[in-house]
Amino acid sequence: CIRLSSQPMKFTLIFRVPISPGQLPMPLAASMDDEKDVNGELEKFKGQAKKIMRQTSASSPTPCTIEAGAYSFHYIIGEAPSSPGVKICFLTLAEKSYPRRFAFNYLGELQKEFIQLHGQQIDSVERPYKFITFGWSTRVGFCVP
């Protein structure tokens, strides 16, 4: 796993977007963070990320940025290759000062790698965090193009 302590991304979440009203989103993978969350700030933002996850739909705008204090949530939504109509959201929390285009570049690279490794299995996932072992590889990283 990538350790995020010295990086502008605080955490990243990948989830299957609900297809129909009443359906819940399915978390597929989440990054591990290495930050000391002394005052509970990171947990507060993780709660906000889950709220965003529950409010996201197939018709949500993409790419999208949602400001949250000194941070910003960025997400992109893409199609699952094996299932027409199934969408996957890649969401990250970054420092507000981190350029949006770099955050979306990171999410785009993450999307390519995740789809390449797990794209054919996404529609059959029945339990949360099925891909928790997804390697947050350093080649995705936080590189500036």
Side-chain angles (χ1 to χ4, degrees):
C1 290
I2 284 181
R3 295 293 177 185
L4 303 176
S5 60
S6 63
Q7 303 297 338
M9 294 348 177
K10 299 303 175 190
F11 67 87
T12 301
L13 177 65
I14 302 171
F15 62 93
R16 190 173 59 205
V17 176
I19 297 173
S20 57
Q23 185 181 30
L24 296 173
M26 175 67 73
L28 301 172
S31 63
M32 307 267 304
D33 50 82
D34 198 24
E35 301 233 350
K36 301 281 187 264
D37 192 20
V38 181
N39 59 2
E41 185 177 60
L42 191 55
E43 284 305 312
K44 177 182 85 167
F45 287 115
K46 286 181 179 182
Q48 289 179 352
K50 289 177 183 176
K51 183 177 179 183
I52 292 169
M53 182 174 68
R54 288 188 302 271
Q55 294 174 343
T56 304
S57 71
S59 61
S60 294
T62 186
C64 185
T65 297
I66 301 168
E67 293 188 4
Y71 299 95
S72 295
F73 288 99
H74 304 281
Y75 72 78
I76 60 173
I77 298 173
E79 295 281 333
S82 62
S83 304
V86 174
K87 300 202 180 227
I88 307 158
C89 183
F90 299 82
L91 178 138
T92 194
L93 178 72
E95 296 170 358
K96 188 181 263 185
S97 61
Y98 194 66
R100 284 173 38 117
R101 75 180 176 111
F102 295 160
F104 290 124
N105 181 55
Y106 160 73
L107 291 171
E109 291 299 314
L110 184 67
Q111 177 183 17
K112 286 180 203 170
E113 184 172 340
F114 188 81
I115 295 297
Q116 181 180 7
L117 292 172
H118 303 296
Q120 301 302 315
Q121 305 166 5
I122 291 167
D123 61 334
S124 64
V125 173
E126 295 180 8
R127 63 178 170 81
Y129 301 103
K130 164 86 169 150
F131 306 111
I132 197 69
T133 59
F134 173 63
W136 299 87
S137 78
T138 53
R139 71 172 181 243
V140 170
F142 301 95
C143 303
V144 176

